[in-house]
């Protein structure tokens, strides 16, 4: 099986000349990848929406192998349903002319719109349906042209900005204040056992280490809602340490940190910062999203989706269905529950706090739409901050969740990532309602 599946197996290329590989389509049936013939009569893949989709469709090269949907749905695209000696012999006798099409959940219009919003930035955007798990947008920048993978290979692999990396699923980022949503969930769940009010003086010292709010601002007597609205570092550091490492670790794992997220293409595991034997200082830093915390944009979007969906995280879906040459559906993928990190009453409370955050002058706000969210500005080893926004938007029966990360942007999440999220929410509600 490993040899059959290996993208360097030259036998696969013989098959690809004998059979027309199926198309990769967006949710509306727009062709993203198709098969053409060159002057010598050999089949080759042509990608119609090059850079915006390239990390998802992947590339297919005789020299450099396959990635993305081209790799992980190769059997479906080639109409190889079984991997048995008998089926391989049968394929030699009964030749097929064309493989199956793979239809994605992505929306071409929204994907291209979001890709444009990343212009001038490194980073990623993930937009998904919180009720079903369908991914409408998964884009990453910088990108590459899959039609020119051979000609540009050396430049791509030597580029320090890693254009071949799908940042949405494989980029690991310090989350900064967006991680406070996870900590807030743990605090809200345990509020019967501890006092969630706090006297904020603008900074605090934990084990000799000084922790300050942004610009050292002091907020006085506050509770969890105000701590989220103003993103008060001291609050989350002090109360997180008070609640303890074990409860924090448990909550982060419920939100899929240090867990494999099942998806149609590989996803790197987010890193829970709550490790045994850590100091109080390390625990405090982790509680406001610094320290050793690392998260993928997909994971961050799923956290917001769960908070906006009564504490239920749906399994993310990238492939919608497999269709045959005559367009009949061979297999369709149904929504499934992936995790239930919180009871509905706790999730609903955090959801309401997230509305308060956005209503308090956030640039993610959209007129006539219920928007909840949280910004983040994460310090990194490079000295340049990651700018974050994560949240959800609801209108009529539509419930969508987003994560926007601008990598080493050196800006504040509220100033750069939040307005991008707002524009995408606005466009998505218009497009999806159409």
């Amino acid at each position: 099986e490993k040899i059959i599946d290996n993208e360097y197996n030259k036998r696969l290329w013989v098959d690809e000349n004998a059979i027309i590989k199926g198309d990769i389509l967006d949710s509306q049936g727009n062709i993203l990848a198709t098969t053409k013939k060159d002057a010598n009569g050999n089949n080759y893949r042509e990608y119609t929406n090059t850079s915006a989709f390239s990390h998802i469709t992947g590339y297919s090269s005789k020299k450099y192998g396959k990635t993305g949907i081209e790799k992980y749905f190769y059997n479906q695209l080639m109409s190889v349903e079984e991997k048995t000696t008998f089926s391989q012999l049968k394929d030699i006798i009964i030749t097929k002319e064309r493989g199956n099409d793979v239809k994605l959940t992505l929306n071409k219009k929204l994907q291209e719109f979001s890709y444009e919003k990343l212009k001038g930035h490194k980073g990623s955007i993930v937009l998904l349906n919180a009720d079903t798990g369908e991914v409408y947008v998964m884009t990453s920048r910088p990108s590459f042209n899959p039609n020119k993978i051979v000609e540009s290979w050396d430049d791509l692999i030597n580029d320090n900005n890693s254009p071949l990396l799908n940042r949405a699923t494989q980029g690991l980022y310090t989350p900064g204040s967006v991680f406070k949503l996870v900590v807030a969930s743990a605090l809200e769940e345990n509020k019967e056992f501890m006092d969630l009010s706090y006297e904020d003086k603008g900074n605090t010292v934990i084990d000799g280490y000084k922790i300050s709010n942004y610009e050292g601002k002091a907020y006085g007597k506050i509770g969890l809602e105000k701590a989220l609205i103003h993103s008060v570092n001291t609050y989350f550091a002090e109360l997180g340490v008070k609640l303890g490492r074990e409860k924090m670790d448990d909550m982060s794992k419920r939100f899929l940190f240090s867990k494999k997220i099942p998806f149609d293409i590989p996803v790197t595991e987010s890193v829970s910062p709550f490790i045994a034997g850590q100091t109080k200082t390390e625990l405090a830093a982790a509680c406001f999203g610094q320290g050793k915390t690392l998260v993928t944009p997909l994971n961050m979007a799923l956290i917001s989706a769960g908070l906006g969906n009564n504490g239920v995280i749906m399994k993310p879906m990238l492939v919608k269905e497999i269709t045959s040459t005559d367009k009949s559906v061979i297999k369709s993928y149904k929504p499934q529950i992936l995790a239930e990190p919180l009871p509905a009453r706790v999730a609903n409370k955090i959801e309401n706090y997230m509305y308060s955050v956005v209503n308090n002058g956030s640039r993610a706000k959209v007129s006539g739409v219920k928007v909840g969210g949280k910004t983040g500005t994460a310090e990194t080893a490079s000295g340049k901050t990651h700018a974050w926004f994560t949240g959800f938007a609801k209108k009529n029966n539509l419930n969508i969740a987003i994560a926007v990360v601008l990598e080493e942007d050196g800006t504040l999440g509220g100033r750069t990532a939040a307005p991008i999220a707002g524009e995408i929410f606005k466009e998505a509600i218009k497009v999806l309602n159409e």
Side-chain angles (χ1 to χ4, degrees), residues 6-38:
N6 193 303
E7 66 259 40
Y8 296 105
N9 174 8
K10 298 288 188 250
R11 180 72 188 86
L12 299 177
W13 294 102
V14 180
D15 291 342
E16 287 201 28
N17 264 337
I19 298 170
I20 297 169
K21 196 197 273 190
D23 294 341
I24 301 173
L25 312 163
D26 86 330
S27 59
Q28 306 301 299
N30 296 300
I31 294 172
L32 307 176
T34 192
T35 300
K36 296 281 179 78
K37 280 199 184 295
D38 65 19

PDB file of all heavy atoms in Angstrom, residues 6-38:
ATOM      1  N   ASN A   6       2.886   5.997  -2.808  1.00  0.00           N
ATOM      2  CA  ASN A   6       4.026   6.911  -2.836  1.00  0.00           C
ATOM      3  C   ASN A   6       4.022   7.767  -4.093  1.00  0.00           C
ATOM      4  O   ASN A   6       3.943   7.266  -5.202  1.00  0.00           O
ATOM      5  CB  ASN A   6       5.330   6.104  -2.757  1.00  0.00           C
ATOM      6  CG  ASN A   6       6.521   6.997  -2.465  1.00  0.00           C
ATOM      7  OD1 ASN A   6       6.792   7.940  -3.192  1.00  0.00           O
ATOM      8  ND2 ASN A   6       7.218   6.694  -1.386  1.00  0.00           N
ATOM      9  N   GLU A   7       4.111   9.109  -3.887  1.00  0.00           N
ATOM     10  CA  GLU A   7       4.008  10.006  -5.052  1.00  0.00           C
ATOM     11  C   GLU A   7       5.186   9.886  -6.008  1.00  0.00           C
ATOM     12  O   GLU A   7       5.144  10.378  -7.122  1.00  0.00           O
ATOM     13  CB  GLU A   7       3.823  11.463  -4.603  1.00  0.00           C
ATOM     14  CG  GLU A   7       4.985  12.070  -3.888  1.00  0.00           C
ATOM     15  CD  GLU A   7       4.784  12.098  -2.385  1.00  0.00           C
ATOM     16  OE1 GLU A   7       4.257  11.124  -1.824  1.00  0.00           O
ATOM     17  OE2 GLU A   7       5.174  13.086  -1.770  1.00  0.00           O
ATOM     18  N   TYR A   8       6.259   9.207  -5.563  1.00  0.00           N
ATOM     19  CA  TYR A   8       7.411   9.005  -6.457  1.00  0.00           C
ATOM     20  C   TYR A   8       7.322   7.675  -7.210  1.00  0.00           C
ATOM     21  O   TYR A   8       8.239   7.316  -7.942  1.00  0.00           O
ATOM     22  CB  TYR A   8       8.718   9.084  -5.662  1.00  0.00           C
ATOM     23  CG  TYR A   8       8.927  10.462  -5.075  1.00  0.00           C
ATOM     24  CD1 TYR A   8       8.729  10.708  -3.717  1.00  0.00           C
ATOM     25  CD2 TYR A   8       9.287  11.537  -5.890  1.00  0.00           C
ATOM     26  CE1 TYR A   8       8.887  11.986  -3.193  1.00  0.00           C
ATOM     27  CE2 TYR A   8       9.444  12.815  -5.368  1.00  0.00           C
ATOM     28  CZ  TYR A   8       9.250  13.027  -4.025  1.00  0.00           C
ATOM     29  OH  TYR A   8       9.400  14.288  -3.500  1.00  0.00           O
ATOM     30  N   ASN A   9       6.233   6.928  -7.018  1.00  0.00           N
ATOM     31  CA  ASN A   9       6.026   5.670  -7.736  1.00  0.00           C
ATOM     32  C   ASN A   9       5.759   5.978  -9.212  1.00  0.00           C
ATOM     33  O   ASN A   9       4.695   6.458  -9.576  1.00  0.00           O
ATOM     34  CB  ASN A   9       4.838   4.918  -7.094  1.00  0.00           C
ATOM     35  CG  ASN A   9       4.459   3.664  -7.859  1.00  0.00           C
ATOM     36  OD1 ASN A   9       5.157   3.251  -8.782  1.00  0.00           O
ATOM     37  ND2 ASN A   9       3.350   3.059  -7.469  1.00  0.00           N
ATOM     38  N   LYS A  10       6.741   5.682 -10.061  1.00  0.00           N
ATOM     39  CA  LYS A  10       6.645   6.040 -11.489  1.00  0.00           C
ATOM     40  C   LYS A  10       5.491   5.317 -12.194  1.00  0.00           C
ATOM     41  O   LYS A  10       4.996   5.766 -13.221  1.00  0.00           O
ATOM     42  CB  LYS A  10       7.965   5.720 -12.209  1.00  0.00           C
ATOM     43  CG  LYS A  10       9.155   6.515 -11.676  1.00  0.00           C
ATOM     44  CD  LYS A  10       9.076   7.980 -12.075  1.00  0.00           C
ATOM     45  CE  LYS A  10      10.327   8.733 -11.722  1.00  0.00           C
ATOM     46  NZ  LYS A  10      10.227   9.683 -10.674  1.00  0.00           N
ATOM     47  N   ARG A  11       5.092   4.177 -11.623  1.00  0.00           N
ATOM     48  CA  ARG A  11       3.984   3.420 -12.222  1.00  0.00           C
ATOM     49  C   ARG A  11       2.711   4.274 -12.289  1.00  0.00           C
ATOM     50  O   ARG A  11       1.904   4.166 -13.212  1.00  0.00           O
ATOM     51  CB  ARG A  11       3.730   2.146 -11.392  1.00  0.00           C
ATOM     52  CG  ARG A  11       2.593   1.255 -11.894  1.00  0.00           C
ATOM     53  CD  ARG A  11       2.991   0.545 -13.183  1.00  0.00           C
ATOM     54  NE  ARG A  11       1.840  -0.161 -13.752  1.00  0.00           N
ATOM     55  CZ  ARG A  11       0.953   0.396 -14.555  1.00  0.00           C
ATOM     56  NH1 ARG A  11       1.041   1.667 -14.866  1.00  0.00           N
ATOM     57  NH2 ARG A  11      -0.045  -0.306 -15.050  1.00  0.00           N
ATOM     58  N   LEU A  12       2.550   5.172 -11.308  1.00  0.00           N
ATOM     59  CA  LEU A  12       1.375   6.042 -11.273  1.00  0.00           C
ATOM     60  C   LEU A  12       1.313   6.939 -12.499  1.00  0.00           C
ATOM     61  O   LEU A  12       0.237   7.298 -12.961  1.00  0.00           O
ATOM     62  CB  LEU A  12       1.393   6.913 -10.006  1.00  0.00           C
ATOM     63  CG  LEU A  12       1.365   6.181  -8.658  1.00  0.00           C
ATOM     64  CD1 LEU A  12       1.450   7.180  -7.522  1.00  0.00           C
ATOM     65  CD2 LEU A  12       0.114   5.330  -8.509  1.00  0.00           C
ATOM     66  N   TRP A  13       2.484   7.325 -13.002  1.00  0.00           N
ATOM     67  CA  TRP A  13       2.501   8.227 -14.155  1.00  0.00           C
ATOM     68  C   TRP A  13       2.081   7.519 -15.425  1.00  0.00           C
ATOM     69  O   TRP A  13       1.533   8.136 -16.330  1.00  0.00           O
ATOM     70  CB  TRP A  13       3.876   8.879 -14.300  1.00  0.00           C
ATOM     71  CG  TRP A  13       4.109   9.763 -13.125  1.00  0.00           C
ATOM     72  CD1 TRP A  13       4.873   9.494 -12.035  1.00  0.00           C
ATOM     73  CD2 TRP A  13       3.496  11.025 -12.890  1.00  0.00           C
ATOM     74  NE1 TRP A  13       4.790  10.528 -11.130  1.00  0.00           N
ATOM     75  CE2 TRP A  13       3.956  11.479 -11.634  1.00  0.00           C
ATOM     76  CE3 TRP A  13       2.607  11.832 -13.614  1.00  0.00           C
ATOM     77  CZ2 TRP A  13       3.557  12.692 -11.096  1.00  0.00           C
ATOM     78  CZ3 TRP A  13       2.221  13.042 -13.074  1.00  0.00           C
ATOM     79  CH2 TRP A  13       2.690  13.457 -11.828  1.00  0.00           C
ATOM     80  N   VAL A  14       2.343   6.191 -15.497  1.00  0.00           N
ATOM     81  CA  VAL A  14       1.848   5.405 -16.639  1.00  0.00           C
ATOM     82  C   VAL A  14       0.326   5.419 -16.603  1.00  0.00           C
ATOM     83  O   VAL A  14      -0.350   5.646 -17.601  1.00  0.00           O
ATOM     84  CB  VAL A  14       2.388   3.951 -16.591  1.00  0.00           C
ATOM     85  CG1 VAL A  14       1.869   3.143 -17.769  1.00  0.00           C
ATOM     86  CG2 VAL A  14       3.910   3.966 -16.571  1.00  0.00           C
ATOM     87  N   ASP A  15      -0.236   5.212 -15.399  1.00  0.00           N
ATOM     88  CA  ASP A  15      -1.696   5.253 -15.230  1.00  0.00           C
ATOM     89  C   ASP A  15      -2.244   6.617 -15.648  1.00  0.00           C
ATOM     90  O   ASP A  15      -3.285   6.721 -16.269  1.00  0.00           O
ATOM     91  CB  ASP A  15      -2.078   5.008 -13.757  1.00  0.00           C
ATOM     92  CG  ASP A  15      -1.793   3.571 -13.315  1.00  0.00           C
ATOM     93  OD1 ASP A  15      -1.633   2.716 -14.211  1.00  0.00           O
ATOM     94  OD2 ASP A  15      -1.714   3.336 -12.102  1.00  0.00           O
ATOM     95  N   GLU A  16      -1.531   7.682 -15.291  1.00  0.00           N
ATOM     96  CA  GLU A  16      -2.031   9.023 -15.574  1.00  0.00           C
ATOM     97  C   GLU A  16      -2.033   9.351 -17.064  1.00  0.00           C
ATOM     98  O   GLU A  16      -2.712  10.266 -17.492  1.00  0.00           O
ATOM     99  CB  GLU A  16      -1.220  10.072 -14.799  1.00  0.00           C
ATOM    100  CG  GLU A  16      -1.564  10.056 -13.323  1.00  0.00           C
ATOM    101  CD  GLU A  16      -1.217  11.345 -12.618  1.00  0.00           C
ATOM    102  OE1 GLU A  16      -1.203  12.405 -13.257  1.00  0.00           O
ATOM    103  OE2 GLU A  16      -0.974  11.275 -11.403  1.00  0.00           O
ATOM    104  N   ASN A  17      -1.262   8.606 -17.851  1.00  0.00           N
ATOM    105  CA  ASN A  17      -1.326   8.798 -19.294  1.00  0.00           C
ATOM    106  C   ASN A  17      -2.410   7.938 -19.917  1.00  0.00           C
ATOM    107  O   ASN A  17      -2.892   8.231 -21.002  1.00  0.00           O
ATOM    108  CB  ASN A  17       0.023   8.502 -19.947  1.00  0.00           C
ATOM    109  CG  ASN A  17       0.815   9.778 -20.151  1.00  0.00           C
ATOM    110  OD1 ASN A  17       0.242  10.865 -20.219  1.00  0.00           O
ATOM    111  ND2 ASN A  17       2.129   9.663 -20.234  1.00  0.00           N
ATOM    112  N   ALA A  18      -2.767   6.870 -19.218  1.00  0.00           N
ATOM    113  CA  ALA A  18      -3.804   5.969 -19.750  1.00  0.00           C
ATOM    114  C   ALA A  18      -5.203   6.461 -19.388  1.00  0.00           C
ATOM    115  O   ALA A  18      -6.164   6.224 -20.106  1.00  0.00           O
ATOM    116  CB  ALA A  18      -3.585   4.566 -19.192  1.00  0.00           C
ATOM    117  N   ILE A  19      -5.307   7.155 -18.252  1.00  0.00           N
ATOM    118  CA  ILE A  19      -6.609   7.621 -17.755  1.00  0.00           C
ATOM    119  C   ILE A  19      -6.567   9.134 -17.606  1.00  0.00           C
ATOM    120  O   ILE A  19      -5.559   9.691 -17.165  1.00  0.00           O
ATOM    121  CB  ILE A  19      -6.930   6.985 -16.383  1.00  0.00           C
ATOM    122  CG1 ILE A  19      -7.039   5.463 -16.500  1.00  0.00           C
ATOM    123  CG2 ILE A  19      -8.223   7.549 -15.790  1.00  0.00           C
ATOM    124  CD1 ILE A  19      -7.103   4.751 -15.171  1.00  0.00           C
ATOM    125  N   ILE A  20      -7.665   9.795 -17.964  1.00  0.00           N
ATOM    126  CA  ILE A  20      -7.768  11.234 -17.722  1.00  0.00           C
ATOM    127  C   ILE A  20      -8.150  11.426 -16.261  1.00  0.00           C
ATOM    128  O   ILE A  20      -9.228  11.015 -15.829  1.00  0.00           O
ATOM    129  CB  ILE A  20      -8.817  11.883 -18.650  1.00  0.00           C
ATOM    130  CG1 ILE A  20      -8.389  11.730 -20.117  1.00  0.00           C
ATOM    131  CG2 ILE A  20      -9.011  13.355 -18.299  1.00  0.00           C
ATOM    132  CD1 ILE A  20      -9.467  12.090 -21.116  1.00  0.00           C
ATOM    133  N   LYS A  21      -7.244  12.019 -15.511  1.00  0.00           N
ATOM    134  CA  LYS A  21      -7.514  12.248 -14.082  1.00  0.00           C
ATOM    135  C   LYS A  21      -8.684  13.219 -13.939  1.00  0.00           C
ATOM    136  O   LYS A  21      -8.824  14.159 -14.728  1.00  0.00           O
ATOM    137  CB  LYS A  21      -6.262  12.836 -13.428  1.00  0.00           C
ATOM    138  CG  LYS A  21      -6.275  12.770 -11.899  1.00  0.00           C
ATOM    139  CD  LYS A  21      -5.247  13.700 -11.300  1.00  0.00           C
ATOM    140  CE  LYS A  21      -3.905  13.074 -11.183  1.00  0.00           C
ATOM    141  NZ  LYS A  21      -2.962  13.895 -10.392  1.00  0.00           N
ATOM    142  N   GLY A  22      -9.543  12.977 -12.943  1.00  0.00           N
ATOM    143  CA  GLY A  22     -10.714  13.818 -12.719  1.00  0.00           C
ATOM    144  C   GLY A  22     -10.358  15.241 -12.327  1.00  0.00           C
ATOM    145  O   GLY A  22      -9.211  15.547 -11.983  1.00  0.00           O
ATOM    146  N   ASP A  23     -11.348  16.111 -12.350  1.00  0.00           N
ATOM    147  CA  ASP A  23     -11.155  17.518 -12.013  1.00  0.00           C
ATOM    148  C   ASP A  23     -11.271  17.747 -10.508  1.00  0.00           C
ATOM    149  O   ASP A  23     -11.939  16.982  -9.801  1.00  0.00           O
ATOM    150  CB  ASP A  23     -12.212  18.389 -12.703  1.00  0.00           C
ATOM    151  CG  ASP A  23     -12.068  18.388 -14.222  1.00  0.00           C
ATOM    152  OD1 ASP A  23     -10.991  18.031 -14.724  1.00  0.00           O
ATOM    153  OD2 ASP A  23     -13.064  18.735 -14.902  1.00  0.00           O
ATOM    154  N   ILE A  24     -10.647  18.824 -10.040  1.00  0.00           N
ATOM    155  CA  ILE A  24     -10.885  19.330  -8.680  1.00  0.00           C
ATOM    156  C   ILE A  24     -11.741  20.579  -8.853  1.00  0.00           C
ATOM    157  O   ILE A  24     -11.401  21.475  -9.640  1.00  0.00           O
ATOM    158  CB  ILE A  24      -9.570  19.664  -7.950  1.00  0.00           C
ATOM    159  CG1 ILE A  24      -8.673  18.422  -7.851  1.00  0.00           C
ATOM    160  CG2 ILE A  24      -9.862  20.214  -6.548  1.00  0.00           C
ATOM    161  CD1 ILE A  24      -7.274  18.693  -7.303  1.00  0.00           C
ATOM    162  N   LEU A  25     -12.873  20.617  -8.148  1.00  0.00           N
ATOM    163  CA  LEU A  25     -13.848  21.705  -8.313  1.00  0.00           C
ATOM    164  C   LEU A  25     -14.096  22.411  -6.987  1.00  0.00           C
ATOM    165  O   LEU A  25     -13.923  21.822  -5.917  1.00  0.00           O
ATOM    166  CB  LEU A  25     -15.195  21.124  -8.801  1.00  0.00           C
ATOM    167  CG  LEU A  25     -15.154  20.138  -9.967  1.00  0.00           C
ATOM    168  CD1 LEU A  25     -16.468  19.366 -10.044  1.00  0.00           C
ATOM    169  CD2 LEU A  25     -14.924  20.872 -11.272  1.00  0.00           C
ATOM    170  N   ASP A  26     -14.552  23.673  -7.063  1.00  0.00           N
ATOM    171  CA  ASP A  26     -15.003  24.330  -5.830  1.00  0.00           C
ATOM    172  C   ASP A  26     -16.455  23.920  -5.574  1.00  0.00           C
ATOM    173  O   ASP A  26     -17.039  23.141  -6.329  1.00  0.00           O
ATOM    174  CB  ASP A  26     -14.806  25.851  -5.916  1.00  0.00           C
ATOM    175  CG  ASP A  26     -15.968  26.577  -6.587  1.00  0.00           C
ATOM    176  OD1 ASP A  26     -16.628  25.981  -7.465  1.00  0.00           O
ATOM    177  OD2 ASP A  26     -16.222  27.751  -6.251  1.00  0.00           O
ATOM    178  N   SER A  27     -17.063  24.459  -4.521  1.00  0.00           N
ATOM    179  CA  SER A  27     -18.422  24.042  -4.140  1.00  0.00           C
ATOM    180  C   SER A  27     -19.471  24.392  -5.188  1.00  0.00           C
ATOM    181  O   SER A  27     -20.539  23.787  -5.241  1.00  0.00           O
ATOM    182  CB  SER A  27     -18.810  24.669  -2.798  1.00  0.00           C
ATOM    183  OG  SER A  27     -18.749  26.082  -2.905  1.00  0.00           O
ATOM    184  N   GLN A  28     -19.158  25.387  -6.032  1.00  0.00           N
ATOM    185  CA  GLN A  28     -20.106  25.811  -7.065  1.00  0.00           C
ATOM    186  C   GLN A  28     -19.843  25.139  -8.416  1.00  0.00           C
ATOM    187  O   GLN A  28     -20.484  25.465  -9.412  1.00  0.00           O
ATOM    188  CB  GLN A  28     -20.037  27.338  -7.245  1.00  0.00           C
ATOM    189  CG  GLN A  28     -20.228  28.132  -5.960  1.00  0.00           C
ATOM    190  CD  GLN A  28     -21.550  27.848  -5.288  1.00  0.00           C
ATOM    191  OE1 GLN A  28     -22.606  28.087  -5.853  1.00  0.00           O
ATOM    192  NE2 GLN A  28     -21.495  27.297  -4.079  1.00  0.00           N
ATOM    193  N   GLY A  29     -18.874  24.225  -8.458  1.00  0.00           N
ATOM    194  CA  GLY A  29     -18.575  23.516  -9.704  1.00  0.00           C
ATOM    195  C   GLY A  29     -17.537  24.205 -10.575  1.00  0.00           C
ATOM    196  O   GLY A  29     -17.288  23.772 -11.712  1.00  0.00           O
ATOM    197  N   ASN A  30     -16.913  25.288 -10.085  1.00  0.00           N
ATOM    198  CA  ASN A  30     -15.835  25.938 -10.852  1.00  0.00           C
ATOM    199  C   ASN A  30     -14.597  25.045 -10.863  1.00  0.00           C
ATOM    200  O   ASN A  30     -14.206  24.512  -9.819  1.00  0.00           O
ATOM    201  CB  ASN A  30     -15.472  27.280 -10.217  1.00  0.00           C
ATOM    202  CG  ASN A  30     -16.617  28.268 -10.275  1.00  0.00           C
ATOM    203  OD1 ASN A  30     -17.083  28.626 -11.341  1.00  0.00           O
ATOM    204  ND2 ASN A  30     -17.088  28.706  -9.108  1.00  0.00           N
ATOM    205  N   ILE A  31     -13.983  24.876 -12.031  1.00  0.00           N
ATOM    206  CA  ILE A  31     -12.817  23.992 -12.157  1.00  0.00           C
ATOM    207  C   ILE A  31     -11.572  24.679 -11.598  1.00  0.00           C
ATOM    208  O   ILE A  31     -11.219  25.777 -11.992  1.00  0.00           O
ATOM    209  CB  ILE A  31     -12.594  23.578 -13.634  1.00  0.00           C
ATOM    210  CG1 ILE A  31     -13.760  22.704 -14.120  1.00  0.00           C
ATOM    211  CG2 ILE A  31     -11.270  22.830 -13.792  1.00  0.00           C
ATOM    212  CD1 ILE A  31     -13.737  22.396 -15.601  1.00  0.00           C
ATOM    213  N   LEU A  32     -10.901  23.966 -10.665  1.00  0.00           N
ATOM    214  CA  LEU A  32      -9.660  24.468 -10.069  1.00  0.00           C
ATOM    215  C   LEU A  32      -8.450  23.722 -10.626  1.00  0.00           C
ATOM    216  O   LEU A  32      -7.364  24.274 -10.703  1.00  0.00           O
ATOM    217  CB  LEU A  32      -9.697  24.308  -8.543  1.00  0.00           C
ATOM    218  CG  LEU A  32     -10.918  24.898  -7.832  1.00  0.00           C
ATOM    219  CD1 LEU A  32     -10.876  24.583  -6.346  1.00  0.00           C
ATOM    220  CD2 LEU A  32     -11.000  26.406  -8.059  1.00  0.00           C
ATOM    221  N   ALA A  33      -8.641  22.451 -10.995  1.00  0.00           N
ATOM    222  CA  ALA A  33      -7.573  21.646 -11.604  1.00  0.00           C
ATOM    223  C   ALA A  33      -8.211  20.694 -12.608  1.00  0.00           C
ATOM    224  O   ALA A  33      -9.246  20.091 -12.319  1.00  0.00           O
ATOM    225  CB  ALA A  33      -6.822  20.860 -10.534  1.00  0.00           C
ATOM    226  N   THR A  34      -7.586  20.571 -13.783  1.00  0.00           N
ATOM    227  CA  THR A  34      -8.124  19.698 -14.832  1.00  0.00           C
ATOM    228  C   THR A  34      -6.967  19.062 -15.591  1.00  0.00           C
ATOM    229  O   THR A  34      -5.803  19.436 -15.390  1.00  0.00           O
ATOM    230  CB  THR A  34      -9.065  20.487 -15.766  1.00  0.00           C
ATOM    231  OG1 THR A  34      -9.776  19.584 -16.599  1.00  0.00           O
ATOM    232  CG2 THR A  34      -8.299  21.495 -16.632  1.00  0.00           C
ATOM    233  N   THR A  35      -7.273  18.099 -16.456  1.00  0.00           N
ATOM    234  CA  THR A  35      -6.242  17.405 -17.231  1.00  0.00           C
ATOM    235  C   THR A  35      -6.262  17.864 -18.684  1.00  0.00           C
ATOM    236  O   THR A  35      -7.325  17.928 -19.301  1.00  0.00           O
ATOM    237  CB  THR A  35      -6.451  15.876 -17.156  1.00  0.00           C
ATOM    238  OG1 THR A  35      -6.375  15.475 -15.782  1.00  0.00           O
ATOM    239  CG2 THR A  35      -5.395  15.126 -17.944  1.00  0.00           C
ATOM    240  N   LYS A  36      -5.076  18.197 -19.193  1.00  0.00           N
ATOM    241  CA  LYS A  36      -4.906  18.580 -20.604  1.00  0.00           C
ATOM    242  C   LYS A  36      -3.853  17.677 -21.235  1.00  0.00           C
ATOM    243  O   LYS A  36      -3.129  16.980 -20.523  1.00  0.00           O
ATOM    244  CB  LYS A  36      -4.465  20.049 -20.704  1.00  0.00           C
ATOM    245  CG  LYS A  36      -5.484  21.063 -20.182  1.00  0.00           C
ATOM    246  CD  LYS A  36      -6.570  21.307 -21.206  1.00  0.00           C
ATOM    247  CE  LYS A  36      -7.628  22.277 -20.742  1.00  0.00           C
ATOM    248  NZ  LYS A  36      -7.227  23.669 -20.801  1.00  0.00           N
ATOM    249  N   LYS A  37      -3.751  17.719 -22.578  1.00  0.00           N
ATOM    250  CA  LYS A  37      -2.724  16.940 -23.281  1.00  0.00           C
ATOM    251  C   LYS A  37      -1.679  17.873 -23.883  1.00  0.00           C
ATOM    252  O   LYS A  37      -2.015  18.920 -24.422  1.00  0.00           O
ATOM    253  CB  LYS A  37      -3.357  16.098 -24.391  1.00  0.00           C
ATOM    254  CG  LYS A  37      -4.007  14.815 -23.876  1.00  0.00           C
ATOM    255  CD  LYS A  37      -4.203  13.799 -24.998  1.00  0.00           C
ATOM    256  CE  LYS A  37      -4.949  12.563 -24.499  1.00  0.00           C
ATOM    257  NZ  LYS A  37      -4.184  11.804 -23.497  1.00  0.00           N
ATOM    258  N   ASP A  38      -0.394  17.470 -23.782  1.00  0.00           N
ATOM    259  CA  ASP A  38       0.656  18.283 -24.391  1.00  0.00           C
ATOM    260  C   ASP A  38       0.857  17.878 -25.855  1.00  0.00           C
ATOM    261  O   ASP A  38       0.159  16.996 -26.375  1.00  0.00           O
ATOM    262  CB  ASP A  38       1.963  18.201 -23.586  1.00  0.00           C
ATOM    263  CG  ASP A  38       2.570  16.806 -23.582  1.00  0.00           C
ATOM    264  OD1 ASP A  38       2.225  15.975 -24.453  1.00  0.00           O
ATOM    265  OD2 ASP A  38       3.433  16.549 -22.709  1.00  0.00           O
TER     266      ASP A  38
END
